[in-house]
Amino acid sequence: DVVLFKSPGIEAIKTEESEDRSRSPPSRAAGEASYVASLQQREVLPSKLQRLLSLLQELLASGPEERILVYTQWATHVVYLQDVLQQQGISSLALVGELRETMDVLSRFGCEGEARVL
């Protein structure tokens, strides 16, 4: 399941699949080849992961002040998800490893110029 928590006063994100189909494709400004490669790569991902990527891109596009927390049940999912996000051009931070490393990640999250997905 995908759960979105939005700040009060901000329009909720619509998550119905029928509305996904009505949206126009992502901008092709980065180049036709990378756009096509991104679409081909997305086709092989599980549908829930495709939906997560779509929601992340929509939230990140809504403004530079947005920060996103993604929770997973298993630690191995964190590593896998971070790899997928990197392949899709979405920079992210992950809470894995020793306490010192996780505290460093937490201090970086929310800082200007750092990844906006944790």
Side-chain angles (χ1 to χ4, degrees):
D1 293 332
V2 175
V3 179
L4 296 177
F5 297 97
K6 296 291 288 177
S7 300
I10 297 176
E11 182 181 327
I13 293 178
K14 299 172 183 168
T15 59
E16 296 175 28
E17 288 186 16
S18 62
E19 291 169 336
D20 277 345
R21 292 184 197 116
S22 66
R23 281 190 222 156
S24 58
S27 171
R28 295 182 185 204
E32 187 72 24
S34 64
Y35 174 76
V36 171
S38 175
L39 286 179
Q40 289 172 341
Q41 190 173 28
R42 271 192 158 184
E43 290 176 5
V44 298
L45 295 173
S47 62
K48 286 185 180 182
L49 191 52
Q50 289 179 30
R51 181 67 181 135
L52 174 64
L53 290 170
S54 174
L55 289 170
L56 287 174
Q57 289 173 343
E58 185 176 336
L59 284 168
L60 291 170
S62 69
E65 71 284 349
E66 295 294 334
R67 302 290 184 259
I68 305 162
L69 295 174
V70 179
Y71 294 92
T72 66
Q73 184 173 2
W74 307 104
T76 55
H77 290 171
V78 174
V79 175
Y80 170 70
L81 183 58
Q82 193 171 30
D83 288 343
V84 170
L85 292 176
Q86 182 181 6
Q87 291 171 359
Q88 295 296 319
I90 300 173
S91 64
S92 65
L93 299 169
L95 294 176
V96 294
E98 299 293 322
L99 178 62
R100 180 178 39 217
E101 295 166 349
T102 59
M103 294 306 292
D104 178 54
V105 167
L106 285 174
S107 68
R108 290 172 40 208
F109 184 63
C111 292
E112 191 171 328
E114 286 290 338
R116 296 169 27 207
V117 178
L118 175 64

